[in-house]
Amino acid sequence: MKKLLILGAGTGGTIMANKLRPVLDPLEWDITIVDQEEVHYYQPGFLFIPFGIYNRNDVIKPKRDFLPAGVNVEMSGIEVIEPEKSRVKLDNGKTLEYDYLIISTGSKIHPEETPGMLEGGWRQNIFDFYTIDGAVSLANFLKYWEGGRMVLNIVEMPIKCPVAPLEFVFLADWWFTEQGMRDKVEIFFVTPLPGAFTKPLAAKFLGNFLEKKNIRLVPDFSIERVDPDKQKIISYDEQEIEYDLLVPIPTNMGDEVIARSGMGDELNFIPTDKHTLQSKNYENIFVIGDATDLPSSKAGSVAHFESEVLFENILRAIDKRPLLPKFDGHANCFIESGFGKGILIDFNYDVEPLPGKFPLPGIGPFSLLEETKMNHWGKMMFRWMYWNLLLKGAELPIEAQMNMAGKRRVA
Amino acid sequence: MPVKDFNGKQVQVDDEGYLVNQADWDEELAKAIAKEEGIEELTEAHWKVIHFMRKEYQEKGTAPSIRRLKNTGGIPVKELYNLFPGGPAKKAAKIAGLPKPQGCV
């Protein structure tokens, strides 16, 4: 029996299990997926929890419901990956050998990387919204908050879903308005980037939105530490910003098992070929989603687009054919902008977000780099697509590679 | 592609002022770029960062992040900010004649 092993049953791992099980002959191929948590979180939904739009139950389902029959499931932590020996040791004592390995262990926040962040203020007046517990406790805090200065701070790049911090402040502006207390709240958007976003056109477009919504943008701020007693954040070059409520996006890192296995960079992300998704160091290892070091966004949509290229390349590797360098860094993000509207961006390694219509050129129904109600409905509808189509590996009406049709070049 | 004149030497740079041809780089050029970036004199501490960055770039194909400069290069982040005020990774890469660091996506 030949063995395919998948580490991590999040978005990427689950999609790969669903795509590969039907095509790999069960008499020839054994597929095992390893994860330590029974619950699958719809992570894009965390954003809505602080504002009471979703609650915990809206974003969780059992992982096993999404794994196909005929795939062995190991619920265990991973002790170490031994790529030289093509085997993985689990916390439950088992050792699993593999012919091919797919690593989809994701990324997590590390607030302890910033001195002072966990000291005193954590979950008192410092909350993340990248974990379910953070998002839920922030919702409880906001319910009774009487106002003051809310500072959103991106600690360092790269982060999961680079548009989520912007969505958070847009939604906050809307929510405080709804509560009749917008005049009692100052909103700061503090980022190490030179602008609101990473790519120039979108940065300008989104920057204008911040201004329109009276959200103060503080660019080029690299946080060194939090002073929880004086309630301020301090940058490496000694800028200081006071807060009453701090919402940091802490350092994002790949899983610790990657570090323990000596397979990652400084942030535990795995060196991966950015077009084939093969590990740069091991021929029989492939990497998908947030676990890679690709210069693309860390987001579910990216893992989904990667899955189509990875599916093809795993089958080609098994058949001893050369891999196809087909992943283009495609990302597609609905950006919730508050008041029932949204913005959509679609881009890849080489093409920054441009205006236009999506997915049907000239028709839509969605509009790129433009704020519309339809884009908001696209975002809300996406949760259904995620659970019912995307995770199950079904074909979506969007191609893996970015398409220029429907986009307008801007001079 | 814009062409820039540093002390009489014509070099190609990209829209943000990063060298297009790595081969154009030498220490004299680095000093001239540094001046443009507001660093009057490159001290030994500056050169340590610049040489480490160039070595990393040759080995890995990308300019190192601030975190890598700290962990592998042994240069404290605070010092980096003192040496290259504003944005150490970007500024030091420019002076070292490397392309703009990735990691910003």
Side-chain angles (χ1 to χ4, degrees):
Chain A
M1 226 24 189
K2 283 182 278 191
K3 291 182 190 335
L4 174 80
L5 180 58
I6 303 172
L7 300 181
T11 308
T14 302
I15 296 176
M16 289 318 296
N18 280 310
K19 279 184 179 291
L20 287 165
R21 184 64 286 180
V23 297
L24 292 181
D25 184 349
L27 297 176
E28 208 183 332
W29 281 93
D30 187 78
I31 303 180
T32 302
I33 191 163
V34 180
D35 202 292
Q36 55 191 338
E37 260 217 71
E38 291 278 0
V39 176
H40 189 114
Y41 293 97
Y42 176 60
Q43 293 185 62
F46 289 0
L47 169 71
F48 295 112
I49 292 177
F51 309 106
I53 302 167
Y54 285 172
N55 62 33
R56 188 187 291 264
N57 287 330
D58 292 322
V59 298
I60 58 174
K61 286 188 191 288
K63 276 194 173 138
R64 291 177 196 261
D65 287 4
F66 297 91
L67 297 172
V71 166
N72 312 310
V73 180
E74 285 289 346
M75 278 294 160
S76 168
I78 304 160
E79 191 190 316
V80 70
I81 304 166
E82 298 179 329
E84 312 287 352
K85 296 176 181 151
S86 289
R87 68 183 192 193
V88 173
K89 288 185 173 160
L90 303 185
D91 287 346
N92 66 10
K94 290 188 191 169
T95 298
L96 304 177
E97 294 179 347
Y98 60 80
D99 294 284
Y100 288 97
L101 178 67
I102 296 174
I103 303 180
S104 45
T105 42
S107 67
K108 278 199 286 259
I109 59 159
H110 285 261
E112 77 282 0
E113 288 285 315
T114 306
M117 196 174 281
L118 289 178
E119 288 150 33
W122 187 247
R123 304 268 159 97
Q124 303 292 320
N125 64 345
I126 305 178
F127 302 89
D128 74 285
F129 64 94
Y130 272 57
T131 58
I132 186 80
D133 290 340
V136 169
S137 35
L138 179 52
N140 289 332
F141 177 90
L142 284 177
K143 237 190 293 183
Y144 301 105
W145 196 41
E146 288 175 357
R149 182 185 289 176
M150 182 183 93
V151 173
L152 181 133
N153 172 231
I154 299 169
V155 169
E156 65 182 301
M157 296 299 284
I159 57 167
K160 240 193 275 223
C161 192
V163 296
L166 281 165
E167 296 183 275
F168 182 86
V169 292
F170 291 158
L171 280 173
D173 166 67
W174 160 78
W175 193 78
F176 290 128
T177 306
E178 290 282 297
Q179 305 302 308
M181 59 184 287
R182 183 62 181 92
D183 58 336
K184 295 193 179 64
V185 181
E186 268 186 295
I187 306 177
F188 276 55
F189 186 85
V190 182
T191 170
L193 296 171
F197 193 57
T198 54
K199 319 256 174 173
L201 254 184
K204 193 160 164 246
F205 180 82
L206 295 164
N208 289 343
F209 263 80
L210 290 174
E211 211 178 307
K212 211 164 71 185
K213 291 172 189 290
N214 197 19
I215 296 164
R216 178 133 163 234
L217 170 68
V218 182
D220 294 314
F221 186 100
S222 289
I223 185 172
E224 183 200 0
R225 63 196 163 91
V226 179
D227 183 334
D229 300 322
K230 298 199 173 111
Q231 298 195 172
K232 56 188 185 185
I233 54 174
I234 299 136
S235 72
Y236 283 110
D237 52 2
E238 312 285 343
Q239 302 176 62
E240 296 187 355
I241 297 171
E242 290 182 359
Y243 63 84
D244 296 298
L245 164 60
L246 178 63
V247 182
I249 319 298
T251 303
N252 277 219
M253 293 172 81
D255 202 276
E256 287 90 347
V257 72
I258 305 303
R260 282 199 295 279
S261 310
M263 294 174 72
D265 63 15
E266 289 70 46
L267 290 167
N268 305 343
F269 295 125
I270 304 167
T272 306
D273 184 288
K274 70 179 198 171
H275 295 300
T276 67
L277 305 175
Q278 187 179 41
S279 144
K280 281 188 181 163
N281 299 319
Y282 305 98
E283 254 186 21
N284 63 344
I285 299 181
F286 292 82
V287 195
I288 185 171
D290 295 355
T292 72
D293 73 339
L294 302 194
S296 60
S297 291
K298 297 197 178 292
S301 75
V302 177
H304 165 246
F305 295 135
E306 287 171 347
S307 76
E308 303 200 359
V309 176
L310 182 52
F311 172 71
E312 211 174 330
N313 276 340
I314 294 255
L315 297 182
R316 291 181 75 94
I318 287 172
D319 289 338
K320 308 273 178 263
R321 307 297 298 178
L323 305 181
L324 295 177
K326 274 170 63 174
F327 185 63
D328 64 353
H330 190 192
N332 179 282
C333 317
F334 284 99
I335 305 170
E336 192 64 11
S337 54
F339 299 94
K341 292 183 184 168
I343 303 157
L344 179 63
I345 56 176
D346 191 63
F347 57 103
N348 69 12
Y349 289 139
D350 305 315
V351 180
E352 64 167 320
L354 295 173
K357 292 287 178 190
F358 185 89
L360 297 174
I363 297 171
F366 304 117
S367 307
L368 296 167
L369 211 53
E370 199 179 311
E371 189 190 41
T372 68
K373 287 199 162 129
M374 185 53 94
N375 288 342
H376 161 73
W377 289 114
K379 174 128 191 156
M380 299 320 273
M381 198 180 69
F382 185 74
R383 183 174 57 150
W384 185 90
M385 300 234 311
Y386 181 86
W387 291 122
N388 293 286
L389 301 172
L390 189 136
L391 279 183
K392 293 176 179 166
E395 293 275 329
L396 296 188
I398 304 174
E399 285 196 45
Q401 284 73 31
M402 199 206 72
N403 196 337
M404 271 311 287
K407 293 190 173 68
R408 291 195 310 275
R409 288 272 186 199
V410 183
Chain B
M1 235 20 119
V3 174
K4 243 181 148 164
D5 183 297
F6 289 104
N7 298 336
K9 188 172 175 180
Q10 308 278 323
V11 292
Q12 275 196 326
V13 294
D14 70 8
D15 295 335
E16 292 174 286
Y18 293 84
L19 281 198
V20 174
N21 303 315
Q22 314 289 301
D24 287 340
W25 190 88
D26 58 31
E27 298 203 349
E28 287 308 308
L29 188 63
K31 287 180 195 165
I33 302 173
K35 274 217 173 91
E36 287 238 325
E37 293 292 317
I39 299 168
E40 278 307 310
E41 203 196 329
L42 290 176
T43 63
E44 202 158 313
H46 287 103
W47 286 114
K48 187 181 162 202
V49 177
I50 293 167
H51 289 309
F52 176 74
M53 288 191 88
R54 290 185 58 83
K55 184 170 145 261
E56 279 278 309
Y57 183 80
Q58 274 159 17
E59 287 167 9
K60 309 217 170 232
T62 51
S65 63
I66 290 186
R67 184 176 281 269
R68 187 161 178 87
L69 284 165
K70 180 182 82 174
N71 291 0
T72 312
I75 305 149
V77 182
K78 197 98 190 171
E79 190 185 321
L80 281 170
Y81 272 87
N82 287 333
L83 291 171
F84 303 94
K90 278 179 273 181
K91 218 171 242 190
K94 195 183 265 186
I95 296 170
L98 307 177
K100 190 175 174 178
Q102 294 179 350
C104 305
V105 275

